[in-house]
Amino acid sequence: DTGLVLKVLEPIWKTKTETATRLRGRIESVLDWATVRGYREGENPARWKGHLDKLLPSPSKIAKVNHFTALSYKEIPHFMQQLRNQPGIGAAALEFAILTAARSGEVRGALWPEINISERLWLIPADRMKAGREHRIPLSDAAVELLERMKEHHLSEFVFPGTKQDKPLSDMSLTAVLKRMERGDLTAHGFRSTFRDWASETTAYPQEVCEMALAHTIANKVEAAYRRGDLFDKRIRLMSDWASYCNGMTATIQS
C-alpha cells in the first residue's frame, strides 16, 4: 500500500534522489505487472501523478543537476600532448574517445569488425548506441594512426582490450588515466562538451552537423521525421578539423 511504498522511498528521497526516483518507477512497474496477472487489485500505490506527487517533493526541486566536468577547448592541445605521453591501453582509449567525440562506453566496447581503416570509418551498431540507432563516425588521420598502433597488438576482438581475456576495459580505466595525470577534476564524458564548445566558439559548422557528430537525438519530432541522412560528408571535415586543433593546429573555419 501507499504507506509501505513511502516507508521505502522517504529515507532516501532527499539524499539519493536519482536512485529513489528510479526505484519508485520500478516498484510501479512490478505492481502494474502484479495487477495484470491478478495478484493484486486497485490503484497502484507507487504511481507518481496524482498520488505520490502530493506526498513527496518534486525531484527537480531537491536534486542538483551535476553536469560532467569539461576541459576548456583552449586547453585541449596541451592536454593531448600530456595524454600521449601516458602509457597503456586506457590512455589510448581516452585519446580515441576525444578524437571521435564518442561516449566512453562506445569506445571501450569498440570491436575490430566495426572498424574499416581503409574507408576511415567506425560503424557502431544500434544495440551499442544510447539512442538505439546505428552511428557512423568518420576517422581523422590521428584516429587512424592510433588504430594502426593498436592493431599491432591485436590481442582481442576488442580494439581496447581489458586485462581479462576477451573483455573490454573497465568503466574506471579512463578515469584512472585522468587521475594519473592529476586531472581528477575531469571526466571522460566531459570531453564531448569540450568538442561541442570548440565547434560552437571557433568554427562555423552548422549546429545540426555538430549535434550529429555527438549522436544526439533530435528533440523536434517533425524535424527528426524528415531527416534521413547523417551528414557524414560534412562530419568528415569537422572531425578532421577537430583532430588538427587537438594537435595544436588552427582549425579551418567552415560554413
Side-chain angles (χ1 to χ4, degrees):
D1 59 17
T2 300
L4 289 176
V5 172
L6 287 173
K7 188 175 181 180
V8 171
L9 297 178
E10 283 183 324
I12 60 171
W13 193 255
K14 293 183 178 180
T15 58
K16 299 178 181 178
T17 309
E18 178 65 22
T19 299
T21 54
R22 292 181 182 182
L23 178 59
R24 185 211 61 77
R26 289 170 185 173
I27 293 172
E28 182 179 19
S29 295
V30 170
L31 295 180
D32 278 344
W33 178 89
T35 300
V36 172
R37 287 287 184 173
Y39 295 116
R40 62 177 305 279
E41 296 178 350
E43 295 277 10
N44 192 322
R47 68 190 187 280
W48 177 252
K49 192 173 182 180
H51 187 58
L52 291 183
D53 62 345
K54 310 301 181 187
L55 302 172
L56 295 168
S58 171
S60 63
K61 293 183 178 180
I62 56 176
K64 294 182 179 179
V65 177
N66 295 316
H67 295 287
F68 291 102
T69 306
L71 185 72
S72 167
Y73 69 85
K74 296 178 182 179
E75 298 179 56
I76 196 70
H78 178 64
F79 177 86
M80 291 295 275
Q81 287 182 346
Q82 293 180 312
L83 176 60
R84 285 165 178 159
N85 290 328
Q86 295 294 314
I89 294 176
L94 179 57
E95 180 183 350
F96 190 69
I98 294 171
L99 291 171
T100 57
R103 297 177 178 88
S104 61
E106 295 158 5
V107 170
R108 291 185 294 102
L111 302 170
W112 283 112
E114 299 173 1
I115 304 290
N116 189 324
I117 292 181
S118 62
E119 294 187 9
R120 305 167 70 85
L121 171 68
W122 176 21
L123 181 62
I124 310 177
D127 61 0
R128 290 213 309 108
M129 291 299 299
K130 182 178 180 180
R133 292 196 306 271
E134 180 182 87
H135 183 50
R136 296 193 299 167
I137 296 181
L139 299 173
S140 62
D141 289 344
V144 168
E145 289 173 10
L146 188 153
L147 288 171
E148 288 175 339
R149 293 199 305 271
M150 293 303 303
K151 205 158 191 177
E152 292 176 2
H153 308 285
H154 189 171
L155 304 175
S156 165
E157 63 175 342
F158 290 100
V159 177
F160 303 101
T163 55
K164 294 183 179 179
Q165 184 78 20
D166 294 322
K167 295 289 184 181
L169 286 173
S170 73
D171 59 356
M172 292 303 294
S173 300
L174 278 61
T175 301
V177 173
L178 291 170
K179 288 183 178 179
R180 284 204 308 270
M181 297 174 67
E182 298 183 349
R183 293 309 307 260
D185 58 313
L186 302 175
T187 65
H189 195 94
F191 288 101
R192 284 165 53 84
S193 295
T194 303
F195 164 78
R196 190 65 180 87
D197 291 342
W198 163 82
S200 296
E201 297 289 339
T202 71
T203 81
Y205 283 102
Q207 177 179 331
E208 60 267 25
V209 175
C210 303
E211 290 297 296
M212 192 66 73
L214 293 167
H216 280 166
T217 302
I218 302 172
N220 186 309
K221 292 183 179 180
V222 175
E223 181 184 354
Y226 281 95
R227 181 173 294 170
R228 294 290 183 263
D230 62 359
L231 307 175
F232 186 79
D233 289 341
K234 293 183 178 180
R235 289 193 288 117
I236 291 175
R237 292 153 54 196
L238 171 64
M239 300 317 293
S240 178
D241 282 351
W242 169 239
S244 295
Y245 183 82
C246 288
N247 287 336
M249 300 168 62
T250 302
T252 303
I253 299 296
Q254 298 286 354
S255 59

